[in-house]
């Protein structure tokens, strides 16, 4: 990512990465991909923000989710990405992929329903143009 990243570029890159991760899920298991068109900005530091949103995949009932999340973990580890693993509050297997760009991360886990995989993400950090209020939808 270049140093002078715009929020639009950060959003586009992050959405593309969400779909790259989604493409690793077996096609025959995927029923629906719901990528949020808008997200929110969160502070990285005093002067920078990152764009945050999610993509939720509905998979066929009975699909085992943990092996799919594990395969995504293995893919990114094999390609040299920093990946951490834990369990969320519901004890579901969860991975976090952290590219080198400050602020950028992707969390892949079971979703709110038993047949969902959620990809929550934050873009690389960027500086908003002067006068742009960081609240609201982006």
């Amino acid at each position: 990512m270049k140093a002078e990243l715009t929020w639009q570029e950060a959003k586009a890159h992050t959405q593309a990465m969400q779909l790259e991760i989604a493409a690793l899920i077996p096609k025959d298991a995927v029923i629906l991909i719901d990528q949020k068109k808008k997200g929110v900005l969160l502070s990285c530091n005093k002067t920078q923000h990152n764009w945050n949103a999610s993509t939720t995949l509905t998979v066929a009932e009975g699909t085992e989710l943990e092996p799919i999340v594990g395969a995504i973990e293995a893919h990114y580890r094999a390609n040299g990405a920093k990946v951490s693993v834990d369990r969320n509050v519901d004890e579901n297997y969860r991975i976090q992929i952290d590219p080198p760009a400050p602020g950028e991360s992707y969390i892949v886990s079971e979703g709110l329903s038993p047949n969902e995989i959620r990809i929550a993400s934050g873009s690389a950090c960027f500086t908003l143009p002067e006068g742009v209020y960081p609240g609201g939808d982006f």
Side-chain angles (χ1 to χ4, degrees), residues 29-120:
V30 177
I31 294 172
L32 176 69
I33 298 174
D34 179 19
Q35 185 175 50
K36 301 294 182 210
K37 302 296 180 222
K38 293 182 178 181
V40 297
L41 301 186
L42 298 178
S43 294
C44 288
N45 55 43
K46 284 186 173 187
T47 60
Q48 293 190 312
H49 294 82
N50 70 349
W51 182 84
N52 291 261
S54 65
T55 293
T56 302
L57 290 92
T58 303
V59 296
E61 198 162 323
T63 301
E64 292 290 328
L65 302 181
E66 193 165 315
I68 292 172
V69 176
I72 294 169
E73 172 196 357
H75 170 83
Y76 282 94
R77 281 191 194 280
N79 287 293
K82 179 183 172 197
V83 181
S84 55
V85 176
D86 68 358
R87 300 252 173 208
N88 65 17
V89 295
D90 294 324
E91 290 300 313
N92 295 328
Y93 186 66
R94 174 174 65 182
I95 65 168
Q96 181 168 330
I97 304 161
D98 290 311
E104 187 176 7
S105 71
Y106 302 88
I107 298 172
V108 183
S109 66
E110 292 182 43
L112 298 175
S113 296
N115 62 332
E116 288 181 350
I117 295 175
R118 186 167 187 264
I119 305 165

